[in-house]
Amino acid sequence: MPEGHSVHRIARQFERNFVGHPIAVSSPQGRFAEGAAEIDGLEMRRAMAVGKQMFLEFDGGAWLRVHLGLYGAWDFAGEILVDPTIASANGRMGQTNQRGTDPIYDDAGENSLASIGAPRRARAHVRMSEQTRGLSDDGDEWPPPVVGQVRARLMTAVTCADLRGPTACAVESVEQVEAVLDRLGPDPLVGDPAENEERFVSAVRRRGVAIGQLLMDQSVVSGIGNVYRAEMLFRANLDPHTPGRLVPTDTVRQLWHDWSRLLAIGVDTGQMMTMDDLSVDEWRAAMASRDDRHWVYHRAGLPCRVCGTEIVLEEMQARKLYWCPTCQR
DNA sequence: AAAACATGCAAAG
DNA sequence: TTTGCCTGTTTTC
């Protein structure tokens, strides 16, 4: 579900609330019992995100690798440092997020862009997924009751993180982690920027595969998913079927810089803001009038926001691809 | 109330 | 190539 920005935000939660503490690791569901036993009680050293993969390092050199896949999610509870962009979700602590959407759009008081600032520590329950992000007040019990299928539970003395429905959750050696990292393309937030850009450019220019497929290929570039793909191609006025080697180098570099920018915005705000070129007023109006906040994603059959042409929906590699045949060529 | 669907990936066949 | 993940939201009956 989450694209790269969410995973970076989750890693940040672990950095703030778990790194430097001994962690009680268990698997209420049982499917991670063996792995949990390997790292139970060890101190967490480091939390790191690369694309959609997250890595947690423990004393002794073992790593926990997690990939959320389509509908995995982390729930944080207890006394955790709450990111203001999350805290603003409900306006006030102790309310459930009624809309289940990202409330930064709300005009009410503290629910504004201005609320982005330093995190604060609070007793809270935070769900880190795209659909539901917000606080609830039903987290008074300690430890929190296990709800549903909890694959892994990580606890310090005062904080708890529950993992549900991941595609991958495994304890791995340094070598195994390096093997995973080796097949991942560059992530704008990891490593040397210039080197990352060159890796991306050569990976794209080398291939005859459609750019729409290459952007989703995690060995070409890390962290881009179906939403960012569609939006980036539109922002670049690029036909998704253009073979990588036929995309002008300048355009490939533009794609890289656009991804770097969108990812940074996503990590800061917790949202996939791909219409950042709009003025704040335009953007608020767009958000308020309909539920869609994108140029083309999820807009099949609707008129293109720029030229009015119907947005096309097609299947590419078993994923839905949205694009404007007039603007993108 | 029930069914369909989703911002992905890995493992199984 | 197909299935599992087994959640949360949206759409349909």
Side-chain angles (χ1 to χ4, degrees):
Chain A
M1 207 89 62
E3 300 193 21
H5 68 301
S6 312
V7 182
H8 279 283
R9 286 171 66 85
I10 291 164
R12 204 162 68 184
Q13 283 289 338
F14 278 104
E15 267 169 29
R16 286 175 178 164
N17 299 294
F18 290 78
V19 168
H21 300 277
I23 312 294
V25 183
S26 60
S27 178
Q29 176 203 51
R31 289 191 48 185
F32 181 59
E34 206 169 302
E38 289 181 49
I39 53 177
D40 183 31
L42 299 177
E43 184 171 306
M44 192 184 293
R45 280 184 186 168
R46 191 154 45 134
M48 176 173 85
V50 180
K52 301 169 191 171
Q53 303 265 3
M54 185 177 69
F55 305 89
L56 303 174
E57 188 192 20
F58 290 83
D59 265 347
W63 291 80
L64 175 60
R65 180 174 66 88
V66 173
H67 192 297
L68 293 177
L70 190 56
Y71 48 76
W74 282 102
D75 273 5
F76 292 92
E79 285 178 36
I80 56 181
L81 271 177
V82 178
D83 193 294
T85 59
I86 295 170
S88 69
N90 303 313
R92 284 182 296 282
M93 296 286 296
Q95 285 186 339
T96 305
N97 184 1
Q98 297 295 326
R99 296 171 52 196
T101 54
D102 294 322
I104 244 174
Y105 311 133
D106 291 356
D107 273 318
E110 59 262 300
N111 295 340
S112 67
L113 288 173
S115 69
I116 296 171
R120 69 179 196 273
R121 192 169 283 279
R123 175 121 189 129
H125 188 100
V126 179
R127 163 147 289 215
M128 300 286 285
S129 72
E130 253 355 92
Q131 292 82 2
T132 332
R133 180 183 308 110
L135 310 175
S136 60
D137 202 16
D138 46 31
D140 276 348
E141 298 175 58
W142 192 261
V146 172
V147 177
Q149 299 288 311
V150 176
R151 181 80 63 87
R153 166 168 280 197
L154 277 59
M155 289 211 300
T156 69
V158 297
T159 66
C160 177
D162 281 345
L163 173 66
R164 292 186 178 75
T167 280
C169 172
V171 175
E172 298 185 340
S173 65
V174 189
E175 291 75 17
Q176 289 172 304
V177 167
E178 280 170 356
V180 172
L181 291 175
D182 282 347
R183 25 173 250 264
L184 288 176
D187 177 327
L189 294 180
V190 180
D192 178 65
E195 189 179 320
N196 284 342
E197 180 175 342
E198 295 315 313
R199 280 181 63 202
F200 176 68
V201 171
S202 67
V204 168
R205 296 274 308 175
R206 189 184 344 233
R207 309 270 304 270
V209 176
I211 186 65
Q213 290 180 41
L214 293 175
L215 291 184
M216 290 276 281
D217 184 338
Q218 301 301 302
S219 69
V220 171
V221 51
S222 282
I224 296 177
N226 209 19
V227 179
Y228 279 129
R229 167 186 61 178
E231 296 291 289
M232 286 175 58
L233 290 169
F234 179 85
R235 288 160 63 97
N237 298 322
L238 191 55
D239 183 333
H241 307 93
T242 313
R245 68 165 63 99
L246 295 186
V247 181
T249 303
D250 283 352
T251 306
V252 180
R253 294 191 186 283
Q254 178 195 336
L255 282 170
W256 175 258
H257 290 297
D258 202 37
W259 172 227
S260 303
R261 171 182 167 79
L262 292 179
L263 178 60
I265 292 173
V267 172
D268 282 349
T269 65
Q271 297 169 66
M272 301 177 116
M273 285 199 228
T274 58
M275 296 174 67
D276 53 305
D277 293 339
L278 270 58
S279 74
V280 172
D281 284 348
E282 287 173 320
W283 185 63
R284 282 183 180 284
M287 296 314 108
S289 61
R290 298 184 107 275
D291 193 31
D292 50 9
R293 53 193 71 170
H294 304 298
W295 291 109
V296 293
Y297 181 75
H298 234 301
R299 300 196 73 242
L302 296 173
C304 171
R305 296 186 192 281
V306 172
C307 74
T309 305
E310 276 194 14
I311 300 302
V312 168
L313 166 59
E314 69 176 72
E315 295 272 327
M316 183 180 270
Q317 301 281 100
R319 302 301 301 275
K320 293 190 189 303
L321 168 65
Y322 303 83
W323 63 292
C324 172
T326 300
C327 292
Q328 300 175 244
R329 51 178 65 263

